[in-house]
Amino acid sequence: MRSPLLFFFGKPGQAVKAELHGREEVGLTGMKVRLNPVVTLDNGLTFTDWNGRFDVSDPEVLQVQSNGLVVPGQTGRTHVTYRGFETSAGKDIAVIPSLSDLVRVTFRIQVPTDTPAKDALYVGRLAIPRLSERLFGGAFQLPRDTAIRFKIATDNGLRERKKMEGPFRIGFCG
């Protein structure tokens, strides 16, 4: 079967809008940046269109390859427009001298006074050290554009829990 989702769930849709996802700043040096043209159909399906076209108002500032890779040429500002499926979307992009691969992120976690006496809390596998009785925190270098979704725990989760033992819940203050 060529298109099982269409067979089971409906008709092919018509494009109703496009969005151009990606950074608004790129560096002449540093991390590589891509744009992601997302098309939405009237049936709710969304997808990335790598067959569309990218137009750049000032190609000396930057160019965009067909796979969305942004190739900076010189510092400045320009407008990029994606066109495909009879839709278009655009965004202004600035080229700066450098865009580092890492950024400094500071965590501050205030806990209740009855929090067990641990040396650190864990955000995923990242240990956040205790700064005082009710405060954990620190500064860390993390990859730029990294999204972090986490659960804070009092151990790193590498040890096996007993069947009935649950995680210690920590509330946020502030």
Side-chain angles (χ1 to χ4, degrees), residues 18-165:
E19 296 174 288
L20 191 53
H21 296 273
R23 296 195 56 78
E24 294 176 359
E25 256 185 357
V26 299
L28 286 172
T29 62
M31 70 179 288
K32 293 183 186 215
V33 173
R34 290 185 187 274
L35 297 177
N36 183 16
V38 177
V39 175
T40 301
L41 304 180
D42 60 0
N43 63 7
L45 179 68
T46 61
F47 62 93
T48 296
D49 176 23
W50 294 125
N51 295 316
R53 185 177 86 235
F54 293 101
D55 296 322
V56 180
S57 63
D58 187 350
E60 290 185 11
V61 172
L62 66 82
Q63 296 180 9
V64 182
Q65 297 178 349
S66 62
N67 65 358
L69 182 66
V70 176
V71 181
Q74 65 185 34
T75 59
R77 295 188 68 80
T78 190
H79 188 79
V80 176
T81 303
Y82 153 81
R83 297 184 201 301
F85 286 89
E86 299 179 15
T87 63
S88 65
K91 88 177 340 177
D92 291 324
I93 299 178
V95 176
I96 59 176
S98 182
L99 187 64
S100 66
D101 291 333
L102 300 174
V103 293
R104 181 181 168 100
V105 176
T106 302
F107 286 92
R108 292 285 184 259
I109 304 168
Q110 189 173 353
V111 296
T113 54
D114 61 345
T115 301
K118 298 279 187 171
D119 291 333
L121 293 178
Y122 291 85
V123 175
R125 292 186 180 220
L126 183 65
I128 311 294
R130 182 182 287 272
L131 301 175
S132 66
E133 179 185 359
R134 295 191 57 218
L135 186 65
F136 290 80
F140 303 90
Q141 295 282 358
L142 297 178
R144 184 178 296 277
D145 293 340
T146 298
I148 299 175
R149 186 176 186 180
F150 56 85
K151 174 176 72 174
I152 297 173
T154 57
D155 66 32
N156 63 11
L158 297 177
R159 293 177 295 187
E160 197 67 35
R161 282 196 328 231
K162 293 179 185 171
K163 186 174 182 181
M164 297 304 290
E165 184 183 335

Side-chain angles (χ1 to χ4, degrees), residues 1-13 41 43 45:
M1 181 176 301
R2 207 178 86 162
S3 300
L5 292 176
L6 289 175
F7 178 79
F8 288 113
F9 300 109
K11 61 180 175 48
L41 304 180
N43 63 7
L45 179 68

